Amino acid sequence: MIDRELSARLRHRSRQSGIWLGLAMGLAIFIALAGFVWIYARLAPVFSDFVSRLPAATPTVTVTPAVTPAALAPRPSPTPVVSPVVTPTPAWQATHRVAQGSQVNFRAGPGTQYQVVAVLEPGTELRFLGEQEQVGNATWLHLELPDGRDGWIRTVDLELVRR
């Protein structure tokens, strides 16, 4: 014979246990997700050295000037002006820029074991100092920022500046 009161109590306890189990699983998932996000945020600058960058496609815009009657009219020739010759001083000129994607570590030496001097945003312009070094499968370039700080970045994280 079935005891109805006992059955009701067992069903109630079963529901209660299920609720507690569901809450415990939800809490465990939340803790695991929060831990992953925290670890990812702390290690993102380190891992950015290992992510390869594909060259970004740059859009090309062609502008065709409209011809107006004023443009076809003859213009008087300008009077030549003689100006003194000025010798330009050598200025800092960018040779490379940080590739599009994410931030890149600017390191004190050629390798991930060196200290991070700065974290550079995509598009940051740099000047090549003429020194490169092969470390493992990566080629590192010695570069300089416009403010004079120097450091090293992998070639896969850079694009050439075309002038």
Side-chain angles (χ1 to χ4, degrees), residues 17-58:
S17 296
I19 291 171
W20 283 112
L21 182 63
L23 288 173
M25 287 177 63
L27 182 62
I29 290 170
F30 175 77
I31 290 171
L33 187 60
F36 173 76
V37 169
W38 182 81
I39 289 171
Y40 181 79
R42 301 280 291 162
L43 295 178
V46 174
F47 289 134
S48 69
D49 286 338
F50 299 105
V51 176
S52 66
R53 307 254 190 289
L54 296 176
T58 53

Side-chain angles (χ1 to χ4, degrees), residues 2-162:
I2 299 174
D3 185 2
R4 292 185 194 274
E5 187 178 322
L6 179 62
S7 266
R9 278 188 290 161
L10 286 175
R11 271 196 302 274
H12 177 70
R13 286 218 178 215
S14 179
R15 263 190 233 118
Q16 196 175 26
S17 296
I19 291 171
W20 283 112
L21 182 63
L23 288 173
M25 287 177 63
L27 182 62
I29 290 170
F30 175 77
I31 290 171
L33 187 60
F36 173 76
V37 169
W38 182 81
I39 289 171
Y40 181 79
R42 301 280 291 162
L43 295 178
V46 174
F47 289 134
S48 69
D49 286 338
F50 299 105
V51 176
S52 66
R53 307 254 190 289
L54 296 176
T58 53
T60 306
V61 177
T62 306
V63 178
T64 308
V67 179
T68 61
L72 299 175
R75 295 185 183 161
S77 61
T79 308
V81 177
V82 178
S83 58
V85 177
V86 178
T87 307
T89 57
W92 188 93
Q93 190 172 9
T95 57
H96 293 80
R97 78 171 57 93
V98 175
Q100 295 302 316
S102 61
Q103 298 174 330
V104 174
N105 290 331
F106 191 54
R107 295 191 175 270
T112 56
Q113 71 274 18
Y114 289 92
Q115 178 184 3
V116 175
V117 175
V119 177
L120 304 179
E121 296 294 327
T124 303
E125 293 191 333
L126 304 146
R127 183 175 69 151
F128 180 53
L129 296 177
E131 190 177 356
Q132 67 182 27
E133 194 167 319
Q134 186 74 26
V135 178
N137 292 333
T139 303
W140 292 75
L141 297 182
H142 192 196
L143 302 157
E144 179 184 45
L145 288 168
D147 65 7
R149 291 183 292 170
D150 69 306
W152 295 77
I153 298 178
R154 296 178 313 154
T155 54
V156 297
D157 296 322
L158 298 169
E159 315 175 325
L160 282 174
V161 173
R162 307 216 191 284

